Amino acid sequence: MPRSIWKGAISFGLVTIPVKLYSATEEKDVSFRQVHPKDGGRIKYKRVCEKCGEEVPYGEIAKGYELPDGRMVILEKEDFDQLPLTTTKSVEVVQFVGEDEVDPTYFAKTYFMEAEGPGTKPYVLLRDALIKTGRCAVVKVALRSREALALIRPVDGVLRMHTMLWPDELRDGAFAAPPADVTVSDAEVTMAQSFIEALAGDFDPSQFHDAYREAVEEVVQSKLTGVEVAAPEEEAEEAEVVDLVAALRASVEAAKKRREEGAKQAV
């Protein structure tokens, strides 16, 4: 059972729902240590004050807010505890929206919400009401020393909360748009649609895996056992194709072939 990272309550009109938050995700990236290659010793860093040169223990490090003129304001734990926020221990519902109205680019992190004590019945009430109306709750909440927008939605009987970025934290991506004078023909679009249909299917995340992490772990085992890793087969280089329709037609055939081979292996 994971540990809850936050306790508070959802303010649903005049109804209060005590809840606990649990992180819904965990990173499983490959982790490396910085070491001295001569003897394998780990490299350690010292926290040194730039003014007096003293090494400062982690427990004695404070948070400083630097003003534009260079002045530094030191903030203590008590300052954060006294922040004038109504959302420090509550999840305040501010709006109900359709799930498709929120751009996924806004999502930052996902949490499971668990009802606590007497909160079970109002939790179920909110969950079922969201399901019946087909809407999600936009809320404000303070987590990890900052206030955030979040979206609460029912998934598999559980309320999930997705913290969101603020609008001014999203960059303008207009620079990445292709020039307006670049166009494609109907034939090219039709062939692209055929390729999309050839790879269309229901999303099943269990069918995918992290090949990079597996390859690194295989190399690590090779180092330990002294058994060399088999070199991957080199794929034949394909000639550059200028004709988009021809390239997509070949892609469709290759996709169909992969799907047929996958179906045979499944049997």
Side-chain angles (χ1 to χ4, degrees):
M1 179 74 176
R3 292 179 58 185
S4 64
I5 59 107
W6 186 89
K7 282 186 178 183
I10 302 175
S11 297
F12 178 40
L14 297 179
V15 177
T16 299
I17 311 173
V19 293
K20 294 180 181 178
L21 280 189
Y22 299 85
S23 180
T25 60
E26 59 179 334
E27 296 287 339
K28 290 193 175 181
D29 196 5
V30 178
S31 179
F32 297 102
R33 301 287 188 187
Q34 289 187 320
V35 299
H36 185 194
K38 183 178 180 180
D39 53 20
R42 289 174 56 182
I43 305 298
K44 294 187 177 181
Y45 293 92
K46 294 183 178 181
R47 301 176 180 87
V48 179
C49 174
E50 66 175 359
K51 287 189 175 181
C52 65
E54 289 185 16
E55 183 176 353
V56 184
Y58 181 78
E60 296 180 12
I61 296 177
K63 294 181 183 292
Y65 186 95
E66 186 173 3
L67 298 172
D69 61 8
R71 287 181 297 167
M72 191 72 69
V73 179
I74 308 300
L75 297 174
E76 307 292 343
K77 180 181 181 299
E78 294 74 18
D79 297 317
F80 291 99
D81 293 339
Q82 297 170 10
L83 286 176
L85 282 176
T86 60
T87 54
T88 52
K89 285 298 179 183
S90 69
V91 179
E92 179 188 353
V93 177
V94 295
Q95 191 178 24
F96 292 99
V97 301
E99 186 176 344
D100 57 356
E101 293 180 39
V102 182
D103 184 344
T105 309
Y106 279 97
F107 292 156
K109 190 169 176 57
T110 301
Y111 298 90
F112 295 128
M113 307 191 86
E114 178 189 37
E116 186 175 24
T120 302
K121 186 167 183 177
Y123 179 103
V124 172
L125 172 63
L126 175 59
R127 181 198 66 189
D128 291 357
L130 290 175
I131 293 173
K132 291 284 188 182
T133 58
R135 294 187 178 274
C136 301
V138 176
V139 303
K140 292 178 71 176
V141 60
L143 289 176
R144 303 188 187 282
S145 302
R146 63 169 293 179
E147 187 178 56
L149 277 177
L151 189 77
I152 295 178
R153 66 189 185 102
V155 181
D156 298 330
V158 175
L159 292 178
R160 293 187 187 180
M161 187 177 80
H162 307 275
T163 53
M164 299 163 60
L165 302 171
W166 295 103
D168 59 359
E169 294 179 310
L170 267 60
R171 294 174 176 169
D172 184 356
F175 70 91
D181 58 351
V182 176
T183 60
V184 292
S185 67
D186 291 342
E188 290 168 338
V189 173
T190 299
M191 190 54 68
Q193 289 175 316
S194 298
F195 178 64
I196 291 172
E197 291 301 325
L199 288 181
D202 296 327
F203 177 59
D204 180 3
S206 66
Q207 299 299 311
F208 304 95
H209 62 280
D210 188 346
Y212 174 77
R213 186 177 61 182
E214 292 175 356
V216 171
E217 291 172 349
E218 190 175 350
V219 170
V220 170
Q221 287 300 316
S222 171
K223 290 275 190 179
L224 291 173
T225 61
V227 179
E228 291 188 9
V229 178
E233 296 182 6
E234 293 186 6
E235 296 183 2
E237 293 186 9
E238 298 181 1
E240 183 179 354
V241 181
V242 179
D243 186 343
L244 282 178
V245 173
L248 286 168
R249 184 178 292 112
S251 299
V252 170
E253 294 302 320
K256 289 180 178 178
K257 184 177 180 181
R258 285 198 304 271
R259 175 161 288 185
E260 291 173 357
E261 290 175 350
K264 290 179 181 178
Q265 291 176 358
V267 174

